[in-house]
Amino acid sequence: MSRIAQNLMKISQRIEKAAKVAGRDSSTVNILAVSKTHSMDKIREAYAAGLTRFGESYVQEAIPKIKALASLPLEWHFIGPIQSNKTRDIAEHFDWVQSVDRLKIASRLNEQRPKELKPLNICVQINISMEDSKSGIVQQALHEFAAQLKPLRRLKLRGLMAIPQKTADEHQQRAFFAALRRLFDDLNQEGYQLDTLSMGMTNDLEAAVIEGSTLLRIGSGLFGARSDH
Ligand SMILES: *Cc1c(COP(=O)(O)O)cnc(C)c1O
C-alpha cells in the first residue's frame, strides 16, 4: 500500500470516529486532497488510493498539473487568494472556486467561464474568526453578497468556506465551525440550495465533522509536510 493510501486510511478512521460522536453518517463527509506544492506523481498516487477531488492554491502551479492529468476523472478546486489577472485561467480550468470574496472577482469568473463548460461551482469564503490578515468577507456581509451573486448565471453558488484562526483549543475550533454552519443554515432557510460546507483541515477535522462539515480540505495529513511557497 502506498504512503498516501496509508495516510488516507488514518484520516478516514479519524473522520469515522468524529462522525460517530456526532451521530453523523461518515459518507456525507468528503475529502478534498490539497495537492498544492505536491507533484503530479503524488496526485496520481492519491487518485489510485481513491481520491478524486483536488485543491490547489497557486494558479501558475495548478494549470500545468490540471492539463497533464486531464485524462483522469478529477475534480479541481481553487482554494487560494484570487488576483484579477488570474480569473480567466481559473474560470477555464477549474470545476470549483472556494475562495470567492469579492463581487469584482465573481463577475470576472462569470464572464470568463467558457460556454461549453458547466457553470463554475463556487463557495463564498467567510472570515469567520475576523482576522485582519485573512481573506473572506465578514459574516454580516454574506446576505447581501449572496444576493449579488444570483444574476451571475455562469456561477453556481454551492456553499461556504472558511479557514479559521489556528488554535489547539477544540472548543474554540468548534465555535468557529458552528458559526459557519449557522450562516449556511440561514442561507438555506432563505431559499438558497447550498450543499457544501467546506471546513476542517488536517489538524482540526474532528471539530469540523462534529459541527457539520461536508468537505474537509486535507493537505499534510495525506501528502506529508510541505515546504510552503
Ligand atoms: C493548504 C490548505 C489546506 C490544507 O491544510 P493542511 O493543514 O495541510 O491539511 C486547506 N485549506 C486551504 C485553504 C489551504 O490553503
Side-chain angles (χ1 to χ4, degrees):
M1 197 189 294
S2 73
R3 167 55 67 84
I4 292 174
Q6 290 175 23
N7 289 343
L8 176 58
M9 266 181 54
K10 287 185 207 144
I11 294 287
S12 301
Q13 285 163 0
R14 287 173 59 191
I15 294 171
E16 197 69 46
K17 217 168 142 193
K20 211 168 249 168
V21 170
R24 294 187 61 192
D25 174 356
S26 63
S27 72
T28 61
V29 184
N30 295 297
I31 296 174
L32 178 72
V34 178
S35 49
K36 65 179 183 221
T37 78
H38 297 293
S39 68
M40 287 185 251
D41 281 346
K42 294 277 186 209
I43 296 173
R44 284 196 192 89
E45 202 173 304
Y47 172 69
L51 294 160
T52 56
R53 299 177 177 87
F54 290 87
E56 292 280 338
S57 304
Y58 312 102
V59 176
Q60 266 156 307
E61 176 195 338
I63 305 294
K65 289 172 165 176
I66 295 174
K67 285 184 178 164
L69 297 167
S71 62
L72 300 180
L74 308 182
E75 186 179 276
W76 292 96
H77 293 233
F78 190 75
I79 60 174
I82 307 171
Q83 293 166 313
S84 313
N85 63 351
K86 296 285 167 36
T87 53
R88 183 176 299 280
D89 271 340
I90 294 173
E92 289 180 355
H93 295 283
F94 282 84
D95 305 294
W96 286 70
V97 181
Q98 297 198 13
S99 43
V100 174
D101 63 359
R102 278 184 293 158
L103 187 59
K104 180 185 163 200
I105 294 293
S107 300
R108 289 175 67 93
L109 292 170
N110 182 65
E111 279 160 26
Q112 295 168 344
R113 179 65 169 173
K115 294 285 170 283
E116 66 275 14
L117 298 181
K118 286 189 208 155
L120 185 60
N121 297 295
I122 63 164
C123 292
V124 172
Q125 184 173 351
I126 310 286
N127 184 354
I128 204 74
S129 41
M130 310 263 271
E131 289 169 273
D132 292 342
S133 59
K134 278 273 166 70
S135 309
I137 63 169
V138 295
Q139 314 188 21
Q140 293 77 3
L142 176 59
H143 177 86
E144 189 185 346
F145 188 57
Q148 288 170 329
L149 297 177
K150 273 187 187 167
L152 306 181
R153 310 303 295 182
R154 301 294 296 145
L155 304 183
K156 188 169 169 142
L157 179 58
R158 297 291 296 272
L160 304 179
M161 185 272 261
I163 312 168
Q165 191 170 34
K166 268 206 189 96
T167 166
D169 176 359
E170 194 176 337
H171 290 284
Q172 184 59 70
Q173 292 171 358
R174 282 186 57 176
F176 289 139
F177 293 141
L180 192 70
R181 167 64 184 270
R182 280 194 296 275
L183 295 174
F184 178 81
D185 289 342
D186 288 348
L187 283 188
N188 278 336
Q189 290 269 302
E190 286 176 33
Y192 289 88
Q193 291 178 321
L194 308 186
D195 58 11
T196 302
L197 193 48
S198 173
M199 57 188 198
M201 317 201 308
T202 300
N203 292 326
D204 56 12
L205 73 86
E206 282 84 0
V209 168
I210 291 170
E211 296 300 342
S213 174
T214 69
L215 188 59
L216 299 168
R217 305 182 309 271
I218 308 292
S220 51
L222 288 168
F223 295 104
R226 31 168 207 275
S227 46
D228 264 311
H229 289 207

